[in-house]
Amino acid sequence: MNRYSLPGRSAEPDPERSPGPRPQQPSQLSQTSQTSPSSVPSPSPSSRAGQPSWRKRLTWRSGSWRRAAAVTGILMLCTAGLASATPSAFAEPGTGAGESGSRRASLYISEYIPANEVQKLRLPDGPQTTVPATGLNGPSYMELDRAGALYIADTINSRIVKVSADGEQTTVPTEGLDRPLGLALSRAGDLYIADSRNDRVVKVPVGGGEQTTVPTSGLTHPQGLALDERKNELYIADFVNDRVVKVPTAGGGGQTTVPTTGLSQPTGLALDARAERLYISDSGNNRVLRVPTRGGGQTTVPTTGLSSPSGLTLDRRNNLYIADSLNDRVVRVPARGGPQTVVPFTDLTAPVDPVIQEAVRTRLEARTATAERHFGPPALKVRGLSAKLTRAGGKPLAGETVRFGNASQTRQLCRAVTDARGTARCTANVHGSRQQIDRLYRDLLHNGYRASFSGTAAYESSADSARVRPRH
């Protein structure tokens, strides 16, 4: 194919395939609020020239023409297109008292050369936008943290870029990387990086700390990574050696090879939610394999028409997303069977890795408040506005903003930030005409008040209502 290609394919660009522009997708009452101490104030460069000496080095090391050809194709990732996938989700405003907000998700996909971009699609149908990252050259595999920050392997630039949920771009401090590919991020903030041209995997604490090399043996151009934190195990796609290996991330034990049959040029890896099944992009065979992590035979995921699949990701329901690299698309395979569908991205070129971030469900529990009228001048004081914000499992969420208003949400009373126990508290002082004060007072006594959490990239929205009693 005349285009920037993926592993094992020609790397000649086709000007006609260059991507074009993308579609980018009042109250008369005055009020002051007295809040708890935690209350919130108001609101690309071209590919490397020439042919470096890696061909001779890897040909010598591989010892066969097939290996040399495969490595040449693989390392075209350094000057060509690649693919990988992982999705992302965000929260929407809640719609019912005491209920979590409706779930929403966004899927990110990296585009290798020549696009050098990362696209984000609000599932299921858009809009699609471009992630505000500058200077990327061959973005490949990606990871998302729980705060919504996106980590991108900027492969040709031999660096890892971090784009925060607010759009701030920084570079993760690393040493000696040469064409990084696969990424895996632990809950503790340790970032594992497949340092492909150095035939190793390194671990970097993203909050600062010393880079270390993960003990491995015999890797040649590692690509995708998958981390099982329950068992402290890291899976590595050893591309040139046609295998996937597993190494411990803590404690003793050595490297082992995952039992597979007929594997050729593995690229992307993904584990299901319980780390019971490992999914492998078998790019040389244009298929995706599913291998039980506790032993058992491999199976082939039912797909049609894949061409050099790369990155993989699974959502919470174990629906599988595949970067179908040479077909310039991302496909979705339902967890419970059924035909695959194409995710409706527009004008993708050499997609590499999809990532999905699904917001954690939350619950907000509001408590009874009291209201007291004052007649000279007319004012209303609402005390005891309080709500506790937790994850669905009951763990408190600290540092999140909760807003308090009347039940119909036509009057905001105050807002506060949750403390270490997940509780937000504030007192509202509302001023206006006697008629306005009387109307709001009756509204609160009859309908109560509403507390709402609008959600973040990491947490779903939620809301709840509670009674308001008169205070005499």
Side-chain angles (χ1 to χ4, degrees):
M1 298 178 67
N2 289 326
R3 56 165 297 176
Y4 286 105
S5 63
L6 294 128
R9 304 298 195 270
S10 168
E12 298 178 10
D14 181 354
E16 295 182 359
R17 295 299 299 271
S18 299
R22 300 175 186 277
Q24 296 294 324
Q25 317 264 359
S27 170
Q28 294 181 350
L29 295 175
S30 64
Q31 63 187 40
T32 59
S33 62
Q34 299 170 352
T35 65
S36 60
S38 60
S39 63
V40 179
S42 299
S44 311
S46 59
S47 59
R48 175 185 286 186
Q51 294 295 337
S53 60
W54 51 259
R55 288 183 191 271
K56 181 182 295 185
R57 177 176 71 89
L58 287 174
T59 301
W60 171 79
R61 291 175 61 175
S62 63
S64 73
W65 172 254
R66 178 184 178 279
R67 294 297 185 191
V71 173
T72 300
I74 299 162
L75 292 180
M76 288 301 178
L77 291 177
C78 303
T79 56
L82 215 168
S84 151
T86 307
S88 140
F90 300 98
E92 289 179 333
T95 55
E99 298 179 355
S100 294
S102 57
R103 184 181 297 261
R104 67 178 181 179
S106 294
L107 183 65
Y108 292 81
I109 183 68
S110 54
E111 296 183 279
Y112 207 74
I113 293 171
N116 295 317
E117 292 179 339
V118 175
Q119 300 299 320
K120 180 179 77 171
L121 181 74
R122 169 74 177 273
L123 297 175
D125 300 316
Q128 176 178 326
T129 56
T130 301
V131 173
T134 59
L136 297 181
N137 193 3
S140 58
Y141 291 81
M142 303 185 293
E143 272 285 4
L144 277 159
D145 66 20
R146 287 183 290 178
L150 181 67
Y151 295 81
I152 307 167
D154 188 11
T155 300
I156 305 302
N157 287 327
S158 295
R159 63 174 183 168
I160 307 299
V161 169
K162 176 183 177 182
V163 181
S164 71
D166 297 328
E168 179 184 2
Q169 178 174 325
T170 55
T171 299
V172 176
T174 58
E175 298 176 5
L177 293 186
D178 195 352
R179 307 301 169 89
L181 291 172
L183 303 177
L185 183 64
S186 73
R187 292 187 184 90
D190 291 324
L191 182 65
Y192 294 85
I193 306 168
D195 188 9
S196 67
R197 287 267 298 270
N198 287 321
D199 298 333
R200 64 176 182 170
V201 175
V202 299
K203 181 176 76 172
V204 179
V206 294
E210 182 180 0
Q211 172 178 310
T212 56
T213 299
V214 176
T216 59
S217 175
L219 297 183
T220 306
H221 198 71
Q223 289 206 24
L225 304 177
L227 182 63
D228 180 359
E229 294 199 72
R230 298 185 183 189
K231 299 179 183 176
N232 294 318
E233 294 173 337
L234 179 67
Y235 293 85
I236 306 167
D238 190 6
F239 184 98
V240 172
N241 292 317
D242 295 336
R243 64 177 181 169
V244 174
V245 300
K246 180 176 66 176
V247 296
T249 58
Q255 173 177 306
T256 57
T257 298
V258 176
T260 59
T261 302
L263 190 62
S264 175
Q265 301 174 9
T267 51
L269 302 177
L271 286 163
D272 65 14
R274 296 183 179 181
E276 295 176 343
R277 298 174 183 84
L278 175 68
Y279 292 79
I280 306 169
S281 276
D282 185 8
S283 70
N285 291 314
N286 296 320
R287 63 178 179 171
V288 175
L289 299 179
R290 180 171 49 221
V291 181
T293 57
R294 296 179 181 178
Q298 73 185 34
T299 55
T300 299
V301 175
T303 60
T304 57
L306 296 184
S307 184
S308 194
S310 185
L312 306 171
T313 193
L314 292 141
D315 63 23
R316 287 202 185 108
R317 295 175 177 84
N318 285 329
N319 300 307
L320 178 66
Y321 295 82
I322 306 168
D324 188 10
S325 301
L326 291 185
N327 286 323
D328 293 334
R329 64 178 184 171
V330 177
V331 299
R332 177 182 180 273
V333 181
R336 297 186 178 182
Q340 73 184 32
T341 56
V342 177
V343 180
F345 282 101
T346 301
D347 296 333
L348 285 187
T349 303
V352 179
D353 192 32
V355 292
I356 192 165
Q357 179 194 25
E358 294 184 283
V360 174
R361 290 186 181 275
T362 65
R363 181 175 180 81
L364 198 61
E365 183 181 358
R367 298 163 186 174
T368 301
T370 61
E372 180 181 1
R373 278 187 298 185
H374 298 274
F375 297 100
L380 181 65
K381 190 165 193 173
V382 187
R383 305 173 189 265
L385 294 165
S386 174
K388 184 172 183 178
L389 180 65
T390 60
R391 299 182 188 183
K395 184 176 180 180
L397 281 179
E400 303 293 348
T401 301
V402 175
R403 291 173 171 79
F404 301 88
N406 64 342
S408 63
Q409 296 289 281
T410 57
R411 296 287 185 270
Q412 180 173 311
L413 299 173
C414 58
R415 59 181 179 173
V417 170
T418 55
D419 59 20
R421 295 182 178 181
T423 301
R425 302 180 181 88
C426 61
T427 296
N429 291 302
V430 184
H431 303 274
S433 69
R434 181 168 181 173
Q435 183 181 18
Q436 291 168 336
I437 294 298
D438 286 347
R439 186 183 303 119
L440 179 58
Y441 179 70
R442 290 193 300 270
D443 178 20
L444 291 172
L445 294 187
H446 185 264
N447 299 310
Y449 76 91
R450 184 173 177 83
S452 61
F453 169 59
S454 61
T456 66
Y459 299 108
E460 289 189 355
S461 61
S462 53
D464 193 20
S465 298
R467 294 176 53 200
V468 176
R469 296 185 290 104
R471 181 184 179 94
H472 300 292

